[in-house]
Amino acid sequence: MARRPKFVPRKRGLAWAVAGLCLALLAFARGAFVLFRPVPDSWQQGELWVDAALTLAGIALGALGYWLYRRDLIVDRVTPDTFLTRAEEAHVLEEIRRFEQRSSAEIRVHLEPGAVADIDAEAKAAFERLQMTQTRDRNGVLILVAVQEHAFAILGDVGIDSKVPPGFWDAITRDLSEAFRRGDFAGGLARAVDTAGEALAAHFPRRGDDVDELPNEISRR
Ligand code: CA
Ligand code: CA
């Protein structure tokens, strides 16, 4: 596997957040000192509105900075190399490993680098390309993420369709959509793999002679 550049989130928003919260803290501390010191100074007490305004401005700045920081984290994650940090990728891979300990089904995550017009067609093409139709029980599952669009598709092979009820993927799809909207890409993927593993273990329990039919890695091309 090619080495990927280390993911470094932009810190601009975080710097604003820290500066704003420092300002809020200093203004609040000065106001508290003026109010509660043993010999009050009536003139300085009269100026307390300045501290109150500075505190509020600092809190607003901190909130704005935090919002910018969160937004930057999401905006940056539009290539297969930056979509997941290394730690997050390890987390998702661990869930894939756990999935395949419970079930004979095989699950893969693919991060599609190009722009995707029709996500379902893209998922079907990737399913063939990654040779996911080659499993003995036709029970491969692909989660394809179009990283530029932050869109995804979940595709199960025909062996799964013949056993599970209609709408089997609906709840997982809904949860993953919700996680992606929050920018929780790794957590959403890990939960989707975990939930799918739990559900599929009932239909495709792992057998003693289980083989790892599809590599447990996140593909990017
Ligand atoms: Ca297996
Ligand atoms: Ca596997």
Side-chain angles (χ1 to χ4, degrees):
M1 194 177 99
R3 298 298 288 176
R4 297 184 294 122
K6 203 171 159 109
F7 171 74
V8 182
R10 277 186 259 166
K11 297 290 195 303
R12 187 185 54 198
L14 197 61
W16 280 105
V18 170
L21 292 176
C22 284
L23 176 68
L25 209 63
L26 279 175
F28 183 77
R30 205 196 81 101
F33 175 75
V34 170
L35 262 184
F36 296 112
R37 67 180 169 166
V39 186
D41 180 324
S42 59
W43 180 83
Q44 282 204 329
Q45 279 197 3
E47 297 292 309
L48 274 177
W49 65 269
V50 177
D51 294 312
L54 279 176
T55 303
L56 286 177
I59 289 170
L61 195 62
L64 177 68
Y66 183 68
W67 179 78
L68 276 174
Y69 173 67
R70 292 283 311 180
R71 199 202 55 172
D72 283 352
L73 283 185
I74 296 172
V75 167
D76 274 353
R77 294 174 178 235
V78 288
T79 71
D81 287 343
T82 54
F83 188 71
L84 299 173
T85 66
R86 288 177 187 218
E88 288 171 346
E89 176 163 347
H91 179 43
V92 175
L93 291 178
E94 173 61 19
E95 284 300 339
I96 291 176
R97 202 182 59 77
R98 285 189 57 230
F99 173 111
E100 295 192 6
Q101 277 178 348
R102 285 180 282 179
S103 173
S104 66
E106 296 275 330
I107 192 162
R108 294 200 66 170
V109 173
H110 175 73
L111 305 180
E112 178 58 40
V116 172
D118 181 343
I119 189 122
D120 292 325
E122 190 66 42
K124 286 195 181 94
F127 207 90
E128 295 284 341
R129 196 169 67 241
L130 295 168
Q131 303 189 325
M132 295 194 58
T133 53
Q134 307 290 315
T135 56
R136 185 177 58 178
D137 295 334
R138 298 294 303 265
N139 56 0
V141 178
L142 173 67
I143 302 179
L144 177 135
V145 182
V147 290
Q148 287 185 26
E149 291 88 0
H150 285 175
F152 69 89
I154 304 177
L155 192 61
D157 207 348
V158 290
I160 293 178
D161 290 343
S162 68
K163 286 207 177 186
V164 302
F168 176 77
W169 299 108
D170 290 356
I172 296 176
T173 304
R174 218 170 27 246
D175 287 352
L176 192 51
S177 288
E178 183 52 39
F180 274 20
R181 253 198 298 279
R182 289 196 311 270
D184 181 15
F185 304 122
L189 283 172
R191 274 193 300 281
V193 172
D194 179 44
T195 312
E198 199 168 305
L200 286 175
H203 302 283
F204 299 95
R206 186 181 154 113
R207 290 186 296 253
D209 61 346
D210 186 82
V211 177
D212 185 21
E213 297 173 285
L214 300 169
N216 296 357
E217 60 184 32
I218 294 178
S219 52
R220 293 181 163 78
R221 61 174 68 218

